Amino acid sequence: MDKLLKDRIDLTIENYRSAKVKLRNDGDLINHLASLVFAHNNKDIPFEKVREIRRYIKDTSSRVSPFRGETLYILSLLIALENEEENIINDIYEIMELLTEEGFNECDYLVLTSFVIAKYGKGIDKHKISRKMKDVFILLKEKYYNITGEDDYLVCALWALNDIDITTIDEFIETIYNNITNLNIKSKNGIQSLTNAIMLNGSSGHMYKTMEFILQMEKRDIKIAQQFLPLLGVLSNRDMRKSIDLIEDVVETLCEEESEYEYYMDKGFRTIIAISIISFNTIGDNRNYIDELLAQGVYSFIKSKNKGMFAEALA
């Protein structure tokens, strides 16, 4: 393992240990998210800045708005990576209003989507983005009515931001979907989410690389949480075997250095932590959307766990 990768692992662990103490109310999964997104950017977590952002959002939004709870915790971490925090927060509010006027539900997923548009859509006509986002969401709804929902808002926004032609989406999405169904992915929603993310790369070559990567993980019995499949859709893997070997090495190092990674963590989530560390160490400057897709994955993972606990309590 090279020094740069080992240093990134060490910073991730240090950030997690700090977050577990200073952001303990956020919960363990969000603490891990904090450790990753700041380690990705080679930074310590700016705890006071995070707290100031949370105070500002609480002071400027309604108590019954989606800007509360886990959404607030996750959003504040992403905003803390940016400059001019108050400006970006106000942009998020304006974009939220614009998107709800287009018919999107005012919900937690729309908050993260609005952040992505505010971050990556600077200098772009927001009305144009919102209309394009609505068009592609309607297309998805028509094709996959039963499995298209609020968690697809983010990828629709990314398509709109990248100005991917709706005819291209219509032509290629079913081809990708049909190929992806050959993988051992139990959730139809997971298949669709991965398909949608692969569309951002716009090449069949990337689709086959992603499929091969997932198959290689299955062969090694490496688990991955379904909520993070869209993240795999935007990552590229030049050398499959080397990537899989590295995942196992990073997981082993994490477990050796910090027991939380070995004994108190879902294996599928641990795999995503390893993949995220490796990716940010190897993909160079093309890092757009990775932290945001990781954040949505963590939020969806939390919702899934809470839903499971609730169902268990009712049983």
Side-chain angles (χ1 to χ4, degrees), residues 181-207:
T181 52
N182 295 324
L183 298 174
N184 184 29
I185 299 174
K186 297 175 183 178
S187 162
K188 285 186 178 180
N189 194 264
I191 295 170
Q192 185 204 353
S193 297
L194 179 57
T195 299
N196 295 349
I198 288 173
M199 276 292 300
L200 288 168
N201 291 286
S203 74
S204 58
H206 188 87
M207 174 186 72

Side-chain angles (χ1 to χ4, degrees), residues 18-234:
S18 299
K20 192 166 62 168
V21 174
K22 296 184 179 179
L23 297 176
R24 59 183 178 275
N25 292 332
D26 289 16
D28 208 47
L29 292 170
I30 296 177
N31 288 162
H32 282 295
L33 173 66
S35 74
L36 283 169
V37 296
F38 286 97
H40 288 170
N41 292 275
N42 203 28
K43 295 179 179 179
D44 296 326
I45 302 171
F47 294 106
E48 189 51 42
K49 184 177 181 181
V50 170
R51 293 188 189 99
E52 288 174 2
I53 290 167
R54 292 179 182 183
R55 282 194 291 268
Y56 183 81
I57 292 175
K58 285 181 178 179
D59 289 344
T60 56
S61 62
S62 167
R63 290 183 181 180
V64 294
S65 75
F67 292 89
R68 291 294 185 273
E70 283 97 355
T71 306
L72 173 62
Y73 299 153
I74 291 171
L75 181 65
S76 62
L77 295 172
L78 296 175
I79 293 172
L81 290 164
E82 308 299 317
N83 298 318
E84 300 181 344
E85 306 87 64
E86 290 188 9
N87 287 341
I88 199 167
I89 292 167
N90 292 328
D91 284 347
I92 291 168
Y93 292 155
E94 290 179 11
I95 293 164
M96 277 280 288
E97 185 175 349
L98 192 61
L99 292 174
T100 52
E101 288 173 358
E102 287 287 355
F104 292 99
N105 296 332
E106 186 182 30
C107 63
D108 36 21
Y109 287 108
L110 200 64
V111 170
L112 183 56
T113 300
S114 299
F115 166 77
V116 168
I117 294 173
K119 177 178 177 179
Y120 294 106
K122 293 174 182 175
I124 304 175
D125 184 346
K126 302 302 187 295
H127 288 85
K128 181 181 177 182
I129 293 173
S130 64
R131 288 193 296 269
K132 179 72 174 283
M133 182 179 159
K134 183 178 181 179
D135 289 342
V136 294
F137 184 75
I138 290 170
L139 174 66
L140 273 186
K141 249 325 191 190
E142 289 173 349
K143 283 185 172 292
Y144 311 109
Y145 179 79
N146 293 329
I147 55 175
T148 299
E150 294 171 349
D151 55 341
D152 294 303
Y153 287 170
L154 177 58
V155 77
C156 289
L158 296 180
W159 287 346
L161 285 164
N162 285 273
D163 200 22
I164 300 176
D165 184 71
I166 193 164
T167 305
T168 303
I169 295 170
D170 193 21
E171 288 175 353
F172 286 102
I173 195 167
E174 196 160 343
T175 301
I176 298 172
Y177 185 92
N178 291 337
N179 276 279
I180 295 297
T181 52
N182 295 324
L183 298 174
N184 184 29
I185 299 174
K186 297 175 183 178
S187 162
K188 285 186 178 180
N189 194 264
I191 295 170
Q192 185 204 353
S193 297
L194 179 57
T195 299
N196 295 349
I198 288 173
M199 276 292 300
L200 288 168
N201 291 286
S203 74
S204 58
H206 188 87
M207 174 186 72
Y208 290 118
K209 283 182 181 180
T210 304
M211 290 172 65
E212 179 62 22
F213 185 55
I214 293 172
L215 286 170
Q216 289 298 324
M217 285 197 293
E218 287 179 0
K219 287 180 182 178
R220 299 274 194 104
D221 197 30
I222 297 174
K223 309 294 183 187
I224 181 167
Q226 301 282 306
Q227 292 83 359
F228 297 95
L229 287 172
L231 183 62
L232 292 189
V234 299

